[in-house]
Structure formats: structure tokens, C-alpha cells
Amino acid sequence: MIGRLNHVAIAVPDLEAATATYRDTLGAKVSPPQEEPDHGVTVVFIELPNTKIELLEPLGENSPIQAFLDRSPSGGIHHVCYEVDDIISARDRLKEQGARVLGNGEPKVGAHGKPVLFLHPKDFNGTLVELEQA
Ligand SMILES: CC[C@H](C(=O)O)C(=O)SCCNC(=O)CCNC(=O)[C@H](O)C(C)(C)COP(=O)(O)OP(=O)(O)OC[C@H]1O[C@@H](n2cnc3c(N)ncnc32)[C@H](O)[C@@H]1OP(=O)(O)O
Ligand SMILES: [Co+2]
């Protein structure tokens, strides 16, 4: 079912500062910030030869990553995103197997304009998993 690793996401308290670290200290090319109000985050992407790094900071009052940052104020690895060929059949299969699909179970459009879903970290070895339609 899962295919390519689309990105590894790092939640940060200050997106501008984290962008400067990746750009100036690690010499990375960082995309301009993208506000995603439907997801409660602002994101940037760092294109690597073999995958992407997503840096994300809370946007608005009810960001789903605020509690994570309250627990880890300097930030940390937040989720991994795998690509799937068919996100609906992947979702249905996962639900049949008892995995918890977060939200209302319907995909939302993610930062790449593709449908995405999230799976509860407790069902996947303490790791929040995002699925993105390839
Ligand atoms: C623009 C879209 C973009 C893209 O790539 O396209 C994105 O990636 S958007 C990313 C932001 N959106 C989301 O993360 C949506 C899914 N996440 C959620 O719904 C919540 O973050 C949730 C439910 C996973 C956790 O929320 P919260 O921390 O408020 O819940 P709890 O305090 O009840 O935590 C439950 C339990 O899980 C542990 N936890 C929480 N977050 C993570 C995490 N990122 N990785 C691993 N574990 C996590 C938390 O510590 C609790 O564990 P416990 O042992 O019970 O204390
Ligand atoms: Co993501």
C-alpha cells in the first residue's frame, strides 16, 4: 500500500527562525511560507534529492500541532508522509484493520494540492502518519 516517502515534517515554534537555520546553516533551498488555514499550520518545504522536509508552525487558535509544541517547546519530528496510489481504498483498508483515521475520515487537500489523511500515532509505533494521494 504505502509508496514513496513524500516528506518528513518537523514542527517548530518559529518558522522564520527554522527557515533561516535550514537556509543559512544547512545551505538548503526553502520554499516561501504557505498558510494552510484548513490545517491550522503555516508550512515551508525543503526539496532534497530523495524526499522533502516540511517545517510547520501553528496557524490560528486551534492548531492541531499546538499541544505537540507545548510538550516539546523547541520543536521536533512531527509526522512522516507516505504516498499511496488510491487514498480512499487505503483508508477503507486501514479502517477495516482497526486503524484510527483522524478527523472525519474524509481526505482534505494538503500542501501539495493532493488529498491527505492522518493516522493516529498510537497505532503506528508512536509516529503520526500522513498519507498523500500520489
Ligand atoms: C497543510 C497540510 C500539511 C501537508 O503535509 O499537506 C500537513 O502535514 S498538516 C499537519 C498538521 N495536521 C495534523 O497533524 C493533523 C493530524 N493531527 C492531529 O489530529 C493531532 O495532532 C493528534 C490527534 C495526532 C494529536 O493531537 P494532540 O497532541 O492534541 O492530542 P493528544 O494530546 O490527545 O495526543 C494523543 C497522544 O498522541 C501523542 N502524539 C500527539 N501528537 C503526536 C505526534 N505528532 N507524534 C507522535 N505522538 C503524538 C501524544 O503525546 C499523546 O500520547 P500520550 O502517550 O497519550 O500522552
Ligand atoms: Co505533512
Side-chain angles (χ1 to χ4, degrees), residues 7-9 43 45 54 56 79-81 111-112 116 118 130 132:
H7 62 270
V8 175
V43 303
F45 280 95
E54 178 183 57
L56 59 162
H79 63 269
V80 291
C81 180
H112 300 126
V116 299
F118 289 88
E130 178 181 8
E132 179 174 313

Side-chain angles (χ1 to χ4, degrees), residues 88-109:
I88 298 302
S89 69
R91 176 203 59 192
D92 294 346
R93 186 168 144 195
L94 286 156
K95 283 171 82 169
E96 271 164 29
Q97 292 169 326
R100 284 169 283 184
V101 178
L102 296 171
N104 66 5
E106 290 309 313
K108 279 187 190 173
V109 175

Side-chain angles (χ1 to χ4, degrees), residues 66-132:
Q66 190 56 59
F68 179 93
L69 284 167
D70 294 345
R71 287 188 291 269
S72 313
S74 49
I77 293 181
H78 184 259
H79 63 269
V80 291
C81 180
Y82 304 116
E83 292 178 7
V84 290
D85 288 337
D86 178 342
I87 199 163
I88 298 302
S89 69
R91 176 203 59 192
D92 294 346
R93 186 168 144 195
L94 286 156
K95 283 171 82 169
E96 271 164 29
Q97 292 169 326
R100 284 169 283 184
V101 178
L102 296 171
N104 66 5
E106 290 309 313
K108 279 187 190 173
V109 175
H112 300 126
K114 306 267 186 75
V116 299
L117 280 173
F118 289 88
L119 308 176
H120 201 288
K122 292 297 177 192
D123 297 335
F124 295 92
N125 310 104
T127 303
L128 178 61
V129 171
E130 178 181 8
L131 301 181
E132 179 174 313

